[in-house]
């Protein structure tokens, strides 16, 4: 990861995308997106914000299309070499992120349902 962290500027922007869960056969992959910055639909700044970093969570949270994933393949420069310790930490982080995001939509839904129930209850008490 130390090598990736050196590439954080326009004209020299690398990022890591993927994890042991999404890429179990290889693990995280390193992409040199320098030539794509101006073509990125979200703008260069979005990509420069995560240049030199692990951009996997941001990439997955946005929900990129199959075409975006295919475009990304053009910029693959290698697989991130992780120590066993880093692999274990990455797996734990990926699992935590998956668990945290999977439970989030239910909270707003419960609040809405409780509000609707409270409204009808209060209306019936009049």
């Amino acid at each position: 990861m130390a090598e990736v962290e050196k590439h954080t500027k326009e004209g020299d922007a690398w990022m890591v995308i993927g994890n042991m869960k999404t890429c179990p056969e290889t693990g995280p992959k390193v992409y040199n997106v320098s030539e794509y910055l101006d073509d990125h639909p979200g703008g260069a700044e979005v990509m420069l914000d995560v240049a030199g970093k692990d951009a996997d969570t941001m990439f997955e949270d946005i929900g990129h299309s199959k075409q975006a994933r295919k475009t990304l393949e053009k910029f693959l420069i290698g697989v991130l070499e992780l120590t066993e310790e880093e692999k274990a930490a990455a797996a734990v982080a990926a699992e935590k992120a998956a668990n945290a995001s999977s439970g989030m939509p239910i909270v707003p839904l419960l609040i809405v349902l409780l509000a609707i129930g409270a409204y009808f209850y209060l209306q019936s008490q009049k």
Side-chain angles (χ1 to χ4, degrees), residues 9-15 17 31-48 50-51 55 59 62 64-77:
K9 299 181 175 121
E10 195 167 335
D12 184 25
W14 292 12
M15 62 182 59
I17 298 176
Y31 298 89
N32 180 348
V33 295
S34 305
E35 294 180 16
Y36 187 67
L37 295 176
D38 292 333
D39 296 326
H40 185 258
E45 282 301 313
V46 172
M47 294 185 75
L48 288 171
V50 292
F59 183 83
I62 290 171
H64 284 86
S65 66
K66 288 181 183 178
Q67 181 59 41
R69 293 172 190 278
K70 187 173 183 177
T71 299
L72 183 64
E73 291 173 13
K74 299 175 190 175
F75 303 103
L76 177 66
I77 57 174

Side-chain angles (χ1 to χ4, degrees), residues 45-121:
E45 282 301 313
V46 172
M47 294 185 75
L48 288 171
D49 285 345
V50 292
K53 301 176 186 172
D54 184 335
D56 185 60
T57 300
M58 179 180 251
F59 183 83
E60 295 300 336
D61 285 352
I62 290 171
H64 284 86
S65 66
K66 288 181 183 178
Q67 181 59 41
R69 293 172 190 278
K70 187 173 183 177
T71 299
L72 183 64
E73 291 173 13
K74 299 175 190 175
F75 303 103
L76 177 66
I77 57 174
V79 174
L80 184 65
E81 296 294 327
L82 297 173
T83 65
E84 290 303 315
E85 201 171 85
E86 290 172 322
K87 286 180 185 177
V92 169
E95 189 66 31
K96 282 183 182 178
N99 290 339
S101 64
S102 65
M104 290 304 285
I106 199 160
V107 172
L109 178 62
L110 288 175
I111 292 171
V112 169
L113 290 174
L114 286 172
I116 291 170
Y119 171 79
F120 284 111
Y121 174 77

